[in-house]
Amino acid sequence: MAAQEEIVDFDIIENQKENIQSLPGGRSARELARIFSPRGPEDKLYSPSPNDTRTVNDAIRQDYEAELQAIGESDDPLDIYDRYVRWTLDAYPSSQATPESGLLPLLERAVKSFLTSPHYKNDPRYLRLWVHYIRLFSDSPRETFAFLARHQIGEGLALFYEEFASWLEGAGRWTQADEVYRLGVDREARPVERLVRKYREFQQRYEQRTQDNGPSSPALPAVRPALAAKVDPFASAAAPSPDSQAQRAAPAAAAPKTKSGKPKMAIFSDADSASQPAVSGQTKGWDSIGSMSDRRKENKVEAKPWAGETLKAGKSLLRRRR
C-alpha cells in the first residue's frame, strides 16, 4: 500500500498570497506551503524570518555554483542551469525579479552558455529559460524573439510560436500574431496538436475583433544584405589587391557622368540581391544580445564631486561648501 501523501495546508498559502509572484506555468502548492510553513501548528501566521531564509538559500546556491564549476564534466550541462533556475523561481516567490534572487544574471549566464550549441537549439528546457528572461526582464521582447529566430532557437518547438504570438496579441499586433501562428503550423512545430488548438482559439478571438488589428508588416522583419554585411573599418588602411581594384574599376567606367564630366554617385539597390528573412541561419550582427546592464548604461549617471555645485532654491542659490 502506497504511503499517503501529506495534505497541503492552503491556509498557509492564503496568508502569503499577496507576496507570491505568479508564473506562466503556475507554482507548486506543496513547495509554497513548505517555504511559508510555520514552526508549529499553533503558529499559523508565522513565516520564516528573512535571515533564516537567506542562510538556507545561500547554502543551496553555493551547491549549485559548485556544480557549475564542474559543468565541463556533466553529460547534460543544461540540466544544472535548468534545476538552478527552477529552484530560484521557487525559493524567491515574492522577489524573483530583484537583485536578492540573482535571477537576472543567472538567466543571462544560462542563455549565453548554450547560444551556439546545436544540441540544445530545440530543447524545451533551453527555450523556457529564454521565455523566463523575456517575461521577467526583457526591455524589448519583440527584438528578443527575433534574436531567437535568427539563431534558430526553438524553431521546431510550438512553445516559441505560442509565446511570440501571445506577446504580439497582447501588444495589439493581431496580424503579426496570426502570421507567427501560421509559420509554426507550416513548420509542424511540436507538439502540433497543441499549437493547432491554440491557433484555433486565437482565430476565434481574432474574428470577433472590430478594431484595428495592428501593423501588417512582417513579425520577423527581413534583413537587408547591405545592413547585414560586416564591414571592416580598417580596410582602407590595407593595400588593395589587384582583383579588388579591377572589380571597382569596371562599374566606375560604366557609371553615367554628369555635365561636368564627373561620374554620378552609385546608389545601392536591394534588388540586386534578395533580402534574407530574420529566420535564416546567418547571424551577423546578432552574435550576442548583451546584458541588461550594458543596455542601460546610458541611463546611469556617474558620481562626481559636489564641491562647487549650485542648487537652485527659489530666488536664492545655495552653494555647497568645500
Side-chain angles (χ1 to χ4, degrees), residues 52-66 87 92:
D52 294 340
T53 303
R54 188 177 299 110
T55 301
V56 174
N57 290 346
D58 288 345
I60 299 176
R61 191 187 304 275
Q62 290 178 1
D63 293 339
Y64 280 113
E65 290 294 336
W87 169 81
Y92 297 90

Side-chain angles (χ1 to χ4, degrees), residues 142-214:
R142 182 168 179 257
E143 286 74 11
T144 307
F145 279 114
F147 177 84
L148 297 181
R150 288 285 293 174
H151 286 269
Q152 299 176 318
I153 296 174
E155 189 177 48
L157 298 175
L159 179 63
F160 171 78
Y161 305 96
E162 293 166 357
E163 289 292 333
F164 191 11
S166 176
W167 183 88
L168 291 171
E169 179 182 349
R173 298 172 174 264
W174 291 76
T175 304
Q176 294 179 344
D178 182 75
E179 173 194 343
V180 170
Y181 270 121
R182 284 188 284 105
L183 181 62
V185 173
D186 292 341
R187 291 178 174 174
E188 298 183 351
R190 65 181 192 274
V192 178
E193 293 79 4
R194 190 185 72 193
L195 181 61
V196 171
R197 174 176 56 82
K198 287 185 175 291
Y199 185 30
R200 289 174 180 171
E201 295 173 355
F202 167 80
Q203 287 179 318
Q204 294 177 357
R205 298 190 300 271
Y206 194 12
E207 293 173 355
Q208 296 174 358
R209 283 186 55 82
T210 57
Q211 301 177 357
D212 181 31
N213 293 325

Side-chain angles (χ1 to χ4, degrees), residues 89-105:
L89 292 171
D90 291 336
Y92 297 90
S94 59
S95 59
Q96 57 196 19
T98 62
E100 180 185 1
S101 68
L103 182 59
L104 174 58

Side-chain angles (χ1 to χ4, degrees), residues 1-41:
M1 182 176 179
Q4 186 177 3
E5 295 184 358
E6 183 181 356
I7 299 177
V8 177
D9 188 354
F10 283 91
D11 290 338
I12 300 175
I13 303 176
E14 182 69 20
N15 294 329
Q16 300 288 342
K17 63 181 181 180
E18 295 181 355
N19 300 323
I20 300 174
Q21 187 172 357
S22 62
L23 290 177
R27 290 186 177 274
S28 170
R30 188 176 304 280
E31 185 65 19
L32 290 174
R34 184 192 65 80
I35 294 174
F36 296 109
S37 60
R39 289 180 176 177

